[in-house]
Amino acid sequence: MLTTILAAAPAAEGENPYGLMAALEQGGIIAQGTFAIMVIMSVASFYILFTKLFEQQKIMNQAKRVRAEFWRSTSLREGAAKLEKNSAYRQLVDDGLEAQAQHSKLTDPVEAHDWLHGSLARSEAAINSKLGGGLAFLATVGATAPFIGLFGTVIGIYRALVKIGMSGQASIDAVAGPVGEALIMTALGLAVAVPAVLAYNWLQRRNKAIAEDLSAFSTNVLGYLASNGAVRPTAAAAAAASTAKPAAAAAKPSATAGQVGGAQTRG
């Protein structure tokens, strides 16, 4: 019996008058247009999701490199040379150095700290704005896709009521097609909206983490520029001190050996 059911399944599926394609054919231009809109919204949502994930991961990798190498450099220019040319962190450094060079050209007296802070804040805002591009579309899809599907649902129910009125009886054959079309449109609306909302929330959370890292780095750059290199992150200063200690320790034995040699000569 199971063999008979499995053998008959493809034929039954091929002849199903209540499937997606049949519902679209029966629904006419309204059902087809609604379906096409939701397909476009879904494809665009996934495209934005993957492109933004790639962009965010690139900046996160840059942040790891900044923490590992940047502040070990002797100057900002040397540290910037170690970063990628189009790196978000290099953009902050370049904008900070350019603002420092432009401050001496100002005709009106402006505090160097305020000028540098404003320039770095503008650079940081530009990076965050670029990271947020496309997220508004995800929010729009998440908010509107269920209602677009609901529009198709309303049309399907309306067609079912028209068939009932024309036939004079609410038989299952008369209303199964339009009601099935209505349910399919509702399901499609939810299938498009839920991934868009999840992607929006996930990308927003990752953008917030990136913005916090950029803000901390911008503050460190500001402190470095405002103090002519005297102020730098604590971890970087500790790393520089630990690097200097072995060099000093290596120099002491040579001096001691020289003193001992001199004492033996005098003896």
Side-chain angles (χ1 to χ4, degrees):
M1 182 176 181
L2 180 61
T3 307
T4 306
I5 294 175
L6 293 176
E13 184 179 354
E15 299 174 358
N16 182 15
Y18 307 118
L20 175 61
M21 299 307 299
L24 293 178
E25 291 178 0
Q26 295 177 10
I29 189 65
I30 295 179
Q32 295 168 10
T34 303
F35 179 77
I37 291 173
M38 287 191 288
V39 168
I40 293 173
M41 294 171 73
S42 179
V43 171
S45 297
F46 279 101
Y47 173 78
I48 293 173
L49 171 62
F50 290 122
T51 54
K52 286 299 173 182
L53 283 177
F54 175 78
E55 185 178 352
Q56 289 175 342
Q57 191 60 46
K58 185 178 179 180
I59 296 181
M60 289 179 175
N61 293 336
Q62 293 169 1
K64 294 179 182 178
R65 188 170 183 180
V66 166
R67 287 191 292 267
E69 301 178 4
F70 182 83
W71 292 111
R72 297 178 183 272
S73 305
T74 57
S75 66
L76 287 182
R77 294 189 184 278
E78 180 183 343
K82 298 179 181 180
L83 302 177
E84 298 178 14
K85 186 175 182 181
N86 295 325
S87 168
Y89 291 88
R90 181 165 182 174
Q91 178 181 334
L92 283 172
V93 176
D94 291 341
D95 290 344
L97 292 173
E98 184 178 359
Q100 187 181 44
Q102 291 176 346
H103 180 261
S104 60
K105 302 177 183 179
L106 298 177
T107 56
D108 293 333
V110 179
E111 289 290 338
H113 178 273
D114 295 338
W115 175 255
L116 292 173
H117 182 270
S119 299
L120 289 172
R122 287 193 299 271
S123 180
E124 186 180 342
I127 296 172
N128 290 331
S129 177
K130 184 178 180 181
L131 283 173
L135 298 188
F137 180 83
L138 292 179
T140 302
V141 170
T144 59
F147 295 101
I148 295 176
L150 183 61
F151 173 75
T153 302
V154 171
I155 298 300
I157 297 298
Y158 172 75
R159 291 181 58 249
L161 294 176
V162 170
K163 281 195 172 184
I164 292 174
M166 293 177 63
S167 63
Q169 56 181 356
S171 62
I172 190 65
D173 294 336
V175 300
V179 171
E181 171 196 337
L183 296 177
I184 288 174
M185 290 302 168
T186 301
L188 287 176
L190 295 176
V192 173
V194 171
V197 172
L198 293 176
Y200 174 81
N201 292 331
W202 187 28
L203 294 176
Q204 278 283 58
R205 182 174 60 83
R206 287 166 63 92
N207 276 351
K208 183 178 179 181
I210 293 174
E212 291 175 354
D213 287 339
L214 288 173
S215 179
F217 180 75
S218 176
T219 302
N220 291 331
V221 171
L222 177 61
Y224 188 97
L225 292 173
S227 64
N228 291 325
V231 175
R232 60 171 57 202
T234 305
S242 62
T243 305
K245 285 180 180 179
K252 287 182 179 179
S254 60
T256 305
Q259 293 173 358
V260 173
Q264 290 177 351
T265 303
R266 288 195 299 270

